[in-house]
Amino acid sequence: MKRRVWTALLALLAGAAGARPVAIGGAVQAAAVESRMLGGQETLAVWTLPRLGVAVRNDPQDVRLLYGARELRFTPARGWRAVGFTLPAGTRLGTPQLAGGSLYVPLAAVRALGVRVIADAPDLLDFAAPAVVPAATLPPSPESGGTAALPTAPAAPATPAPRPVTPPPAPPAPVLASTAHLDTVRVSRTLYRTVEVQRVVLELSGRAAYQVGRGEGGLSITLPGVSATPSAQTLSSGDTLSVEAGGAGGAASPIMAQTTSAQTTVRLKTGGGVSEIFTLEDPYRVVIDTTTQLDRSVPPPINPDALPDGVSYRARGGLHLLSFDPARYQPRVVTAPLGTARDVASLVRDAGGVAGVNGGYFDPASSLPVDLVAVGGLMTAPSLEKRATVGFPAQGSPLFGYPRPRYVLTGTFGSVTVNTVGTKVRPELLTAFVGDGRSAVGAGDLTTLYLTPSRASVARVTSGRNVPPAGTLALTFDPDRFSGLPSAAGQPLTVTLNWQAQDAPWDTAQDALSAGPLLVQGGQVALNPAREAFNTATNIWRPTRQVAFGVLGGQPTIAYLEHGTPEAFAAALAAAGVRDAVRLDSGSSATAYVTGGFAGLGGYLNTVWSRPVPNAIVLVPKAGLGASTPRP
């Protein structure tokens, strides 16, 4: 599909040599934590990994990364070694890199340890929040090769309890004389969809200590021994920032006035954002990164313990699988109104479903599908006739293959094949369109026939521009070119959908969607991009988040891969036992959503960074079963 021209934000990120902001549990971290492209690989600074729950030894000659029972070690002489687990075949971990005074290790190493990535978007890398943040540094690698646990403090010997003593008042802490000046205050603001990150940089003439005070609605940073020029401003985010200079003759207390020649206090009122403070060198800077969630209506990630009855969830590394009991749920293709796009959750709710996944490729500018869409036995978007397709009969298992469907008209004149489907008509073509009650077809002297799909005769004949009623099949043509077609209401005319395929019983299909490529067939990897005319040199084939629809253990299944190529996705699906699967539109469109029926529980597997789509595959309760409820 054509790709949307990204916003200035993505252009900025692309210009940062492939760096991506990093979030933990949905909270975007400071810019110093973001990933970097070094040595042809995406990397993370070792000092940031404890935030993900990874204990580390940050030594270029002896790198250690420990996560649960898994450990990776690196030495220049031996390279990487896995302890407590085996690296998957073909895994290649690049050499750690030094940059800007920090040691960086491949993101692939963090993934290999089993650290869970909950969102992998072009503009964000979001890790699951860890249960424990390690505080201690790992000791040198043991010669035996065994995994060494985190160091623990020795038990203190038992001593008699001392008699209570009232300590004398502590003297005031000494404060240094003026050692630096606050030269510059810089402010920037970036939006990551619904997340705002504001950066305030305090650039000093030299190193200085600082103290942080936090209160309701903001924070203050006190810089003892630092001089500054007072100022105040309202930032573009609406926050207020002030610089207050104090010291001899202006200190906050008599004691401070006696011991300090200068002091500066920076006050930032954030209105509820979460702020993180860190320092940078050359020149010395104190940086305040404030993250604010602008839209708190975003649903949480999927809760495996609150799924509807008949829905099962399993994860294998970065592969997530949602399977549905075929006795309870029927997959259907659900579409937004023509020329519009909706988020997957809305499409699921409107259809009365319990889960859904985005559908095929589309043009972002028009929100029109670029390949086959069929709903209720009617083709609403034409087929490219070369891409893998998934189809859904009224009863039975999903269909997978390569149909080339066309409408065929039959009457007293014989039969004729419809050229294309859509609202745009050309005089030399016979064009079909399924009316939506608001989109116009026809032009000039062209004739349009209205048909009720269940009837075998013409319902109405009109000419010029006209708006077919919803659900009506409209056929537009030049009567001079197609003179044999009916010209009056009531004349016999039958419309059938000829699937032109023998690889599955396509005549039984009610709904269908083309996307591709076919990833798995009969339990084996079936990837063949040349057959489906995919250009593997374009970004449609890049490593990104991937989604597919398939069958696992006889159950319709939504598959979601956190990050990888189509080849990696196909291999992971086959290894998980998936029998058949077709990839759907992946990357920024990839969305897997599940809800607890009508109980209001629900969430996304890819958080909020997904785009609206014109169609989706939705799992709906079968007739007579009613709404499903979450398990207690």
Side-chain angles (χ1 to χ4, degrees), residues 531-595:
R531 174 179 180 176
E532 302 184 35
F534 279 106
N535 185 353
T536 59
T538 62
N539 64 356
I540 199 172
W541 215 257
R542 74 190 187 281
T544 184
R545 62 177 184 248
Q546 308 272 349
V547 286
F549 191 89
V551 173
L552 172 62
Q555 296 189 325
T557 296
I558 293 171
Y560 179 95
L561 183 69
E562 294 175 6
H563 184 84
T565 62
E567 288 87 353
F569 194 20
L573 292 171
V578 172
R579 187 192 72 197
D580 300 288
V582 167
R583 187 178 86 148
L584 305 173
D585 187 9
S586 296
S588 58
S589 296
T591 310
Y593 176 83
V594 65
T595 177

Short mmCIF file of all heavy atoms in Angstrom, two decimals, residues 531-595:
data_model
loop_
_atom_site.label_atom_id
_atom_site.label_comp_id
_atom_site.label_asym_id
_atom_site.label_seq_id
_atom_site.Cartn_x
_atom_site.Cartn_y
_atom_site.Cartn_z
N ARG A 531 5.93 -14.65 -6.08
CA ARG A 531 4.64 -15.10 -6.60
C ARG A 531 3.57 -14.03 -6.41
O ARG A 531 2.68 -13.86 -7.26
CB ARG A 531 4.21 -16.38 -5.90
CG ARG A 531 2.81 -16.83 -6.28
CD ARG A 531 2.39 -18.12 -5.60
NE ARG A 531 1.04 -18.49 -6.00
CZ ARG A 531 0.45 -19.62 -5.63
NH1 ARG A 531 1.09 -20.49 -4.88
NH2 ARG A 531 -0.79 -19.88 -6.01
N GLU A 532 3.65 -13.29 -5.30
CA GLU A 532 2.63 -12.30 -4.99
C GLU A 532 3.05 -10.88 -5.37
O GLU A 532 2.38 -9.91 -5.01
CB GLU A 532 2.27 -12.38 -3.51
CG GLU A 532 1.76 -13.76 -3.10
CD GLU A 532 1.31 -13.82 -1.65
OE1 GLU A 532 0.76 -12.82 -1.16
OE2 GLU A 532 1.52 -14.86 -1.01
N ALA A 533 4.19 -10.77 -6.08
CA ALA A 533 4.68 -9.47 -6.59
C ALA A 533 4.94 -8.47 -5.48
O ALA A 533 4.61 -7.29 -5.60
CB ALA A 533 3.70 -8.90 -7.61
N PHE A 534 5.54 -8.94 -4.37
CA PHE A 534 5.98 -8.04 -3.31
C PHE A 534 7.42 -7.62 -3.57
O PHE A 534 8.27 -8.47 -3.88
CB PHE A 534 5.89 -8.71 -1.94
CG PHE A 534 4.50 -8.70 -1.35
CD1 PHE A 534 3.74 -9.86 -1.31
CD2 PHE A 534 3.96 -7.53 -0.82
CE1 PHE A 534 2.47 -9.85 -0.75
CE2 PHE A 534 2.69 -7.52 -0.27
CZ PHE A 534 1.94 -8.68 -0.24
N ASN A 535 7.71 -6.35 -3.42
CA ASN A 535 9.07 -5.83 -3.55
C ASN A 535 9.74 -5.87 -2.19
O ASN A 535 9.44 -5.04 -1.31
CB ASN A 535 9.05 -4.41 -4.11
CG ASN A 535 10.45 -3.87 -4.38
OD1 ASN A 535 11.46 -4.50 -4.02
ND2 ASN A 535 10.53 -2.70 -4.98
N THR A 536 10.64 -6.81 -1.99
CA THR A 536 11.27 -6.97 -0.68
C THR A 536 12.31 -5.90 -0.39
O THR A 536 12.87 -5.87 0.71
CB THR A 536 11.94 -8.36 -0.58
OG1 THR A 536 12.92 -8.48 -1.61
CG2 THR A 536 10.91 -9.46 -0.72
N ALA A 537 12.58 -5.02 -1.36
CA ALA A 537 13.53 -3.93 -1.12
C ALA A 537 12.85 -2.70 -0.55
O ALA A 537 13.53 -1.74 -0.19
CB ALA A 537 14.25 -3.56 -2.42
N THR A 538 11.52 -2.69 -0.45
CA THR A 538 10.80 -1.53 0.07
C THR A 538 10.49 -1.71 1.55
O THR A 538 10.68 -2.79 2.12
CB THR A 538 9.50 -1.31 -0.71
OG1 THR A 538 8.66 -2.46 -0.53
CG2 THR A 538 9.79 -1.14 -2.19
N ASN A 539 9.96 -0.62 2.16
CA ASN A 539 9.73 -0.67 3.60
C ASN A 539 8.58 -1.58 3.99
O ASN A 539 8.40 -1.87 5.17
CB ASN A 539 9.49 0.74 4.15
CG ASN A 539 8.23 1.38 3.61
OD1 ASN A 539 7.55 0.81 2.75
ND2 ASN A 539 7.92 2.56 4.08
N ILE A 540 7.79 -2.06 3.02
CA ILE A 540 6.73 -3.00 3.37
C ILE A 540 7.32 -4.32 3.87
O ILE A 540 6.65 -5.11 4.53
CB ILE A 540 5.79 -3.23 2.17
CG1 ILE A 540 4.45 -3.81 2.62
CG2 ILE A 540 6.45 -4.16 1.14
CD1 ILE A 540 3.42 -3.89 1.53
N TRP A 541 8.60 -4.55 3.57
CA TRP A 541 9.26 -5.79 3.98
C TRP A 541 10.23 -5.56 5.15
O TRP A 541 11.00 -6.44 5.51
CB TRP A 541 10.02 -6.39 2.80
CG TRP A 541 10.02 -7.89 2.77
CD1 TRP A 541 11.04 -8.73 3.14
CD2 TRP A 541 8.95 -8.75 2.37
NE1 TRP A 541 10.67 -10.04 2.98
CE2 TRP A 541 9.38 -10.09 2.51
CE3 TRP A 541 7.67 -8.51 1.90
CZ2 TRP A 541 8.58 -11.17 2.20
CZ3 TRP A 541 6.87 -9.59 1.58
CH2 TRP A 541 7.32 -10.90 1.73
N ARG A 542 10.18 -4.38 5.75
CA ARG A 542 11.14 -4.05 6.82
C ARG A 542 10.81 -4.81 8.10
O ARG A 542 9.66 -5.25 8.29
CB ARG A 542 11.11 -2.55 7.11
CG ARG A 542 9.88 -2.10 7.87
CD ARG A 542 9.76 -0.60 7.94
NE ARG A 542 8.69 -0.15 8.80
CZ ARG A 542 7.41 -0.14 8.48
NH1 ARG A 542 7.04 -0.57 7.30
NH2 ARG A 542 6.50 0.29 9.33
N PRO A 543 11.76 -4.96 9.00
CA PRO A 543 11.44 -5.49 10.33
C PRO A 543 10.52 -4.52 11.07
O PRO A 543 10.84 -3.33 11.19
CB PRO A 543 12.80 -5.62 11.02
CG PRO A 543 13.81 -5.57 9.92
CD PRO A 543 13.21 -4.71 8.84
N THR A 544 9.40 -4.98 11.52
CA THR A 544 8.43 -4.13 12.20
C THR A 544 7.48 -5.04 12.96
O THR A 544 7.68 -6.25 13.04
CB THR A 544 7.67 -3.26 11.19
OG1 THR A 544 6.80 -2.37 11.89
CG2 THR A 544 6.87 -4.10 10.21
N ARG A 545 6.42 -4.48 13.55
CA ARG A 545 5.42 -5.35 14.16
C ARG A 545 4.57 -5.93 13.05
O ARG A 545 4.29 -5.29 12.04
CB ARG A 545 4.59 -4.60 15.19
CG ARG A 545 3.78 -3.43 14.67
CD ARG A 545 2.97 -2.85 15.83
NE ARG A 545 2.08 -1.80 15.39
CZ ARG A 545 2.23 -0.52 15.72
NH1 ARG A 545 3.26 -0.14 16.45
NH2 ARG A 545 1.35 0.38 15.32
N GLN A 546 4.18 -7.20 13.24
CA GLN A 546 3.50 -7.95 12.19
C GLN A 546 2.20 -8.54 12.74
O GLN A 546 2.13 -8.93 13.91
CB GLN A 546 4.38 -9.11 11.70
CG GLN A 546 5.79 -8.72 11.30
CD GLN A 546 5.91 -8.31 9.85
OE1 GLN A 546 4.98 -8.50 9.07
NE2 GLN A 546 7.05 -7.76 9.48
N VAL A 547 1.17 -8.62 11.88
CA VAL A 547 -0.08 -9.27 12.26
C VAL A 547 -0.51 -10.23 11.15
O VAL A 547 -0.17 -10.03 9.98
CB VAL A 547 -1.22 -8.26 12.54
CG1 VAL A 547 -1.01 -7.54 13.86
CG2 VAL A 547 -1.37 -7.28 11.40
N ALA A 548 -1.26 -11.25 11.54
CA ALA A 548 -1.75 -12.24 10.58
C ALA A 548 -3.03 -12.84 11.12
O ALA A 548 -3.34 -12.75 12.31
CB ALA A 548 -0.71 -13.33 10.33
N PHE A 549 -3.77 -13.49 10.20
CA PHE A 549 -4.92 -14.29 10.61
C PHE A 549 -4.67 -15.70 10.14
O PHE A 549 -4.26 -15.92 8.99
CB PHE A 549 -6.22 -13.75 10.01
CG PHE A 549 -7.44 -14.40 10.61
CD1 PHE A 549 -8.03 -13.87 11.74
CD2 PHE A 549 -7.97 -15.56 10.08
CE1 PHE A 549 -9.14 -14.46 12.32
CE2 PHE A 549 -9.07 -16.17 10.65
CZ PHE A 549 -9.66 -15.62 11.77
N GLY A 550 -4.91 -16.68 11.03
CA GLY A 550 -4.63 -18.05 10.68
C GLY A 550 -5.47 -19.03 11.46
O GLY A 550 -6.48 -18.67 12.08
N VAL A 551 -5.05 -20.28 11.42
CA VAL A 551 -5.72 -21.37 12.13
C VAL A 551 -4.69 -22.11 12.95
O VAL A 551 -3.64 -22.53 12.43
CB VAL A 551 -6.42 -22.32 11.15
CG1 VAL A 551 -6.98 -23.53 11.90
CG2 VAL A 551 -7.54 -21.61 10.41
N LEU A 552 -4.96 -22.29 14.24
CA LEU A 552 -4.08 -23.00 15.16
C LEU A 552 -4.91 -24.01 15.93
O LEU A 552 -5.87 -23.63 16.62
CB LEU A 552 -3.39 -22.03 16.12
CG LEU A 552 -2.58 -22.64 17.26
CD1 LEU A 552 -1.42 -23.47 16.72
CD2 LEU A 552 -2.05 -21.55 18.19
N GLY A 553 -4.57 -25.28 15.81
CA GLY A 553 -5.33 -26.31 16.52
C GLY A 553 -6.79 -26.32 16.15
O GLY A 553 -7.65 -26.60 16.99
N GLY A 554 -7.09 -26.01 14.88
CA GLY A 554 -8.47 -26.00 14.42
C GLY A 554 -9.25 -24.75 14.83
O GLY A 554 -10.45 -24.66 14.55
N GLN A 555 -8.59 -23.77 15.44
CA GLN A 555 -9.27 -22.57 15.91
C GLN A 555 -8.81 -21.34 15.13
O GLN A 555 -7.60 -21.17 14.89
CB GLN A 555 -8.98 -22.34 17.40
CG GLN A 555 -9.54 -23.43 18.32
CD GLN A 555 -9.41 -23.05 19.79
OE1 GLN A 555 -8.46 -22.39 20.20
NE2 GLN A 555 -10.38 -23.45 20.58
N PRO A 556 -9.76 -20.49 14.71
CA PRO A 556 -9.36 -19.21 14.11
C PRO A 556 -8.45 -18.45 15.09
O PRO A 556 -8.74 -18.39 16.28
CB PRO A 556 -10.69 -18.48 13.90
CG PRO A 556 -11.73 -19.56 13.90
CD PRO A 556 -11.21 -20.62 14.83
N THR A 557 -7.37 -17.87 14.56
CA THR A 557 -6.35 -17.30 15.44
C THR A 557 -5.84 -15.97 14.88
O THR A 557 -5.54 -15.86 13.69
CB THR A 557 -5.18 -18.28 15.62
OG1 THR A 557 -5.65 -19.46 16.27
CG2 THR A 557 -4.06 -17.66 16.44
N ILE A 558 -5.74 -14.97 15.76
CA ILE A 558 -5.08 -13.71 15.46
C ILE A 558 -3.64 -13.83 15.95
O ILE A 558 -3.41 -14.20 17.11
CB ILE A 558 -5.78 -12.53 16.14
CG1 ILE A 558 -7.18 -12.32 15.54
CG2 ILE A 558 -4.95 -11.25 16.02
CD1 ILE A 558 -8.01 -11.31 16.31
N ALA A 559 -2.69 -13.53 15.09
CA ALA A 559 -1.27 -13.61 15.47
C ALA A 559 -0.65 -12.23 15.40
O ALA A 559 -0.92 -11.45 14.49
CB ALA A 559 -0.52 -14.56 14.53
N TYR A 560 0.20 -11.94 16.39
CA TYR A 560 0.85 -10.63 16.48
C TYR A 560 2.32 -10.85 16.86
O TYR A 560 2.61 -11.51 17.85
CB TYR A 560 0.15 -9.78 17.54
CG TYR A 560 0.74 -8.40 17.75
CD1 TYR A 560 0.21 -7.30 17.09
CD2 TYR A 560 1.80 -8.18 18.61
CE1 TYR A 560 0.73 -6.03 17.28
CE2 TYR A 560 2.34 -6.93 18.80
CZ TYR A 560 1.79 -5.85 18.14
OH TYR A 560 2.31 -4.59 18.32
N LEU A 561 3.23 -10.33 16.05
CA LEU A 561 4.66 -10.42 16.34
C LEU A 561 5.16 -9.04 16.71
O LEU A 561 4.94 -8.07 15.97
CB LEU A 561 5.44 -10.94 15.13
CG LEU A 561 6.94 -11.15 15.33
CD1 LEU A 561 7.21 -12.32 16.28
CD2 LEU A 561 7.64 -11.39 14.00
N GLU A 562 5.84 -8.93 17.85
CA GLU A 562 6.27 -7.62 18.34
C GLU A 562 7.23 -6.93 17.38
O GLU A 562 7.15 -5.72 17.17
CB GLU A 562 6.92 -7.77 19.71
CG GLU A 562 5.95 -8.22 20.79
CD GLU A 562 6.64 -8.47 22.11
OE1 GLU A 562 7.86 -8.19 22.20
OE2 GLU A 562 5.99 -8.95 23.05
N HIS A 563 8.15 -7.68 16.79
CA HIS A 563 9.12 -7.07 15.87
C HIS A 563 9.79 -8.17 15.06
O HIS A 563 10.16 -9.20 15.59
CB HIS A 563 10.18 -6.29 16.66
CG HIS A 563 11.15 -5.55 15.77
ND1 HIS A 563 10.87 -4.31 15.25
CD2 HIS A 563 12.38 -5.87 15.32
CE1 HIS A 563 11.89 -3.89 14.52
NE2 HIS A 563 12.82 -4.83 14.55
N GLY A 564 9.90 -7.93 13.76
CA GLY A 564 10.59 -8.91 12.92
C GLY A 564 10.21 -8.75 11.47
O GLY A 564 9.33 -7.95 11.10
N THR A 565 10.87 -9.50 10.62
CA THR A 565 10.60 -9.51 9.20
C THR A 565 9.47 -10.50 8.89
O THR A 565 9.12 -11.34 9.73
CB THR A 565 11.85 -9.93 8.42
OG1 THR A 565 12.19 -11.27 8.84
CG2 THR A 565 13.01 -8.99 8.69
N PRO A 566 8.89 -10.46 7.69
CA PRO A 566 7.92 -11.49 7.32
C PRO A 566 8.51 -12.90 7.43
O PRO A 566 7.80 -13.85 7.80
CB PRO A 566 7.56 -11.13 5.88
CG PRO A 566 7.76 -9.65 5.81
CD PRO A 566 8.96 -9.39 6.67
N GLU A 567 9.79 -13.06 7.09
CA GLU A 567 10.42 -14.38 7.21
C GLU A 567 10.44 -14.85 8.67
O GLU A 567 10.12 -16.01 8.97
CB GLU A 567 11.85 -14.34 6.67
CG GLU A 567 11.95 -14.23 5.17
CD GLU A 567 11.92 -12.80 4.67
OE1 GLU A 567 11.68 -11.88 5.49
OE2 GLU A 567 12.13 -12.58 3.47
N ALA A 568 10.81 -13.94 9.58
CA ALA A 568 10.84 -14.30 11.00
C ALA A 568 9.43 -14.61 11.50
O ALA A 568 9.23 -15.53 12.32
CB ALA A 568 11.46 -13.17 11.81
N PHE A 569 8.44 -13.85 11.02
CA PHE A 569 7.05 -14.08 11.41
C PHE A 569 6.59 -15.46 10.95
O PHE A 569 6.00 -16.22 11.72
CB PHE A 569 6.20 -12.98 10.80
CG PHE A 569 4.81 -12.86 11.37
CD1 PHE A 569 4.48 -13.38 12.61
CD2 PHE A 569 3.82 -12.18 10.65
CE1 PHE A 569 3.20 -13.24 13.14
CE2 PHE A 569 2.54 -12.04 11.16
CZ PHE A 569 2.23 -12.58 12.40
N ALA A 570 6.86 -15.79 9.69
CA ALA A 570 6.43 -17.09 9.18
C ALA A 570 7.08 -18.23 9.96
O ALA A 570 6.42 -19.22 10.30
CB ALA A 570 6.79 -17.19 7.69
N ALA A 571 8.37 -18.10 10.24
CA ALA A 571 9.07 -19.16 10.99
C ALA A 571 8.49 -19.30 12.39
O ALA A 571 8.31 -20.43 12.89
CB ALA A 571 10.56 -18.83 11.05
N ALA A 572 8.18 -18.18 13.05
CA ALA A 572 7.62 -18.24 14.41
C ALA A 572 6.25 -18.89 14.40
O ALA A 572 5.91 -19.67 15.30
CB ALA A 572 7.56 -16.84 15.00
N LEU A 573 5.43 -18.58 13.40
CA LEU A 573 4.10 -19.18 13.31
C LEU A 573 4.17 -20.68 13.08
O LEU A 573 3.45 -21.46 13.73
CB LEU A 573 3.31 -18.51 12.17
CG LEU A 573 2.92 -17.05 12.38
CD1 LEU A 573 2.35 -16.47 11.09
CD2 LEU A 573 1.92 -16.90 13.51
N ALA A 574 5.04 -21.12 12.16
CA ALA A 574 5.18 -22.55 11.91
C ALA A 574 5.69 -23.28 13.15
O ALA A 574 5.21 -24.37 13.48
CB ALA A 574 6.13 -22.78 10.73
N ALA A 575 6.65 -22.66 13.86
CA ALA A 575 7.19 -23.28 15.08
C ALA A 575 6.13 -23.39 16.17
O ALA A 575 6.18 -24.30 17.01
CB ALA A 575 8.39 -22.48 15.57
N ALA A 576 5.17 -22.45 16.18
CA ALA A 576 4.11 -22.48 17.19
C ALA A 576 3.00 -23.46 16.84
O ALA A 576 2.07 -23.64 17.64
CB ALA A 576 3.53 -21.08 17.36
N GLY A 577 3.05 -24.07 15.65
CA GLY A 577 2.04 -25.05 15.26
C GLY A 577 0.89 -24.49 14.46
O GLY A 577 -0.12 -25.17 14.26
N VAL A 578 1.02 -23.26 13.97
CA VAL A 578 -0.04 -22.68 13.15
C VAL A 578 -0.11 -23.44 11.83
O VAL A 578 0.91 -23.69 11.19
CB VAL A 578 0.23 -21.18 12.91
CG1 VAL A 578 -0.75 -20.61 11.89
CG2 VAL A 578 0.14 -20.41 14.23
N ARG A 579 -1.33 -23.79 11.39
CA ARG A 579 -1.49 -24.59 10.18
C ARG A 579 -1.45 -23.73 8.92
O ARG A 579 -0.75 -24.03 7.96
CB ARG A 579 -2.81 -25.36 10.24
CG ARG A 579 -2.99 -26.37 9.09
CD ARG A 579 -4.42 -26.88 9.04
NE ARG A 579 -5.32 -25.83 8.54
CZ ARG A 579 -6.65 -25.87 8.69
NH1 ARG A 579 -7.20 -26.88 9.34
NH2 ARG A 579 -7.40 -24.90 8.21
N ASP A 580 -2.23 -22.65 8.92
CA ASP A 580 -2.29 -21.74 7.78
C ASP A 580 -2.35 -20.31 8.31
O ASP A 580 -2.97 -20.06 9.36
CB ASP A 580 -3.54 -22.00 6.91
CG ASP A 580 -3.58 -23.41 6.35
OD1 ASP A 580 -2.79 -23.70 5.44
OD2 ASP A 580 -4.40 -24.21 6.85
N ALA A 581 -1.75 -19.38 7.57
CA ALA A 581 -1.80 -17.98 8.01
C ALA A 581 -1.47 -17.05 6.85
O ALA A 581 -0.59 -17.34 6.04
CB ALA A 581 -0.84 -17.72 9.16
N VAL A 582 -2.21 -15.94 6.77
CA VAL A 582 -1.96 -14.88 5.81
C VAL A 582 -1.61 -13.61 6.57
O VAL A 582 -2.32 -13.25 7.53
CB VAL A 582 -3.19 -14.62 4.91
CG1 VAL A 582 -3.04 -13.32 4.13
CG2 VAL A 582 -3.39 -15.78 3.96
N ARG A 583 -0.52 -12.96 6.17
CA ARG A 583 -0.16 -11.69 6.80
C ARG A 583 -1.15 -10.61 6.37
O ARG A 583 -1.55 -10.54 5.21
CB ARG A 583 1.25 -11.25 6.41
CG ARG A 583 1.70 -10.02 7.21
CD ARG A 583 3.11 -9.61 6.87
NE ARG A 583 3.16 -8.73 5.71
CZ ARG A 583 4.08 -7.77 5.54
NH1 ARG A 583 5.02 -7.58 6.46
NH2 ARG A 583 4.07 -7.03 4.46
N LEU A 584 -1.51 -9.76 7.33
CA LEU A 584 -2.35 -8.60 7.08
C LEU A 584 -1.47 -7.35 7.06
O LEU A 584 -0.26 -7.44 7.18
CB LEU A 584 -3.45 -8.51 8.14
CG LEU A 584 -4.30 -9.79 8.27
CD1 LEU A 584 -5.24 -9.68 9.45
CD2 LEU A 584 -5.08 -10.05 6.99
N ASP A 585 -2.08 -6.18 6.88
CA ASP A 585 -1.31 -4.94 6.82
C ASP A 585 -0.57 -4.76 8.14
O ASP A 585 -1.18 -4.64 9.20
CB ASP A 585 -2.25 -3.77 6.57
CG ASP A 585 -1.50 -2.47 6.32
OD1 ASP A 585 -0.27 -2.52 6.17
OD2 ASP A 585 -2.16 -1.42 6.28
N SER A 586 0.75 -4.72 8.08
CA SER A 586 1.57 -4.68 9.29
C SER A 586 2.19 -3.30 9.47
O SER A 586 1.82 -2.35 8.79
CB SER A 586 2.62 -5.79 9.25
OG SER A 586 1.99 -7.06 9.25
N GLY A 587 3.15 -3.19 10.39
CA GLY A 587 3.75 -1.89 10.66
C GLY A 587 2.83 -1.02 11.49
O GLY A 587 2.26 -1.47 12.49
N SER A 588 2.65 0.24 11.09
CA SER A 588 1.88 1.19 11.89
C SER A 588 0.39 0.85 11.93
O SER A 588 -0.33 1.35 12.80
CB SER A 588 2.06 2.61 11.34
OG SER A 588 1.65 2.68 10.00
N SER A 589 -0.10 0.01 11.03
CA SER A 589 -1.52 -0.38 11.05
C SER A 589 -1.77 -1.57 11.97
O SER A 589 -2.92 -1.82 12.35
CB SER A 589 -1.99 -0.73 9.63
OG SER A 589 -1.93 0.38 8.78
N ALA A 590 -0.73 -2.32 12.30
CA ALA A 590 -0.91 -3.60 13.00
C ALA A 590 -1.58 -3.41 14.35
O ALA A 590 -1.06 -2.72 15.23
CB ALA A 590 0.45 -4.28 13.18
N THR A 591 -2.74 -4.01 14.52
CA THR A 591 -3.51 -3.89 15.76
C THR A 591 -4.21 -5.20 16.07
O THR A 591 -4.92 -5.73 15.21
CB THR A 591 -4.58 -2.79 15.65
OG1 THR A 591 -4.00 -1.59 15.16
CG2 THR A 591 -5.21 -2.51 17.00
N ALA A 592 -4.02 -5.70 17.27
CA ALA A 592 -4.80 -6.85 17.74
C ALA A 592 -5.55 -6.40 18.98
O ALA A 592 -4.94 -5.92 19.93
CB ALA A 592 -3.88 -8.03 18.07
N TYR A 593 -6.86 -6.54 18.96
CA TYR A 593 -7.70 -6.03 20.05
C TYR A 593 -8.62 -7.14 20.54
O TYR A 593 -9.15 -7.92 19.75
CB TYR A 593 -8.54 -4.85 19.54
CG TYR A 593 -9.52 -4.32 20.57
CD1 TYR A 593 -9.12 -3.42 21.54
CD2 TYR A 593 -10.85 -4.72 20.55
CE1 TYR A 593 -10.02 -2.93 22.47
CE2 TYR A 593 -11.76 -4.24 21.48
CZ TYR A 593 -11.34 -3.34 22.43
OH TYR A 593 -12.23 -2.86 23.36
N VAL A 594 -8.81 -7.19 21.85
CA VAL A 594 -9.76 -8.15 22.42
C VAL A 594 -10.50 -7.46 23.55
O VAL A 594 -9.94 -6.63 24.27
CB VAL A 594 -9.05 -9.43 22.94
CG1 VAL A 594 -8.13 -9.13 24.09
CG2 VAL A 594 -10.07 -10.49 23.33
N THR A 595 -11.79 -7.78 23.68
CA THR A 595 -12.61 -7.18 24.72
C THR A 595 -13.31 -8.28 25.50
O THR A 595 -13.48 -9.39 25.01
CB THR A 595 -13.67 -6.24 24.10
OG1 THR A 595 -14.51 -5.73 25.14
CG2 THR A 595 -14.54 -6.98 23.11
#
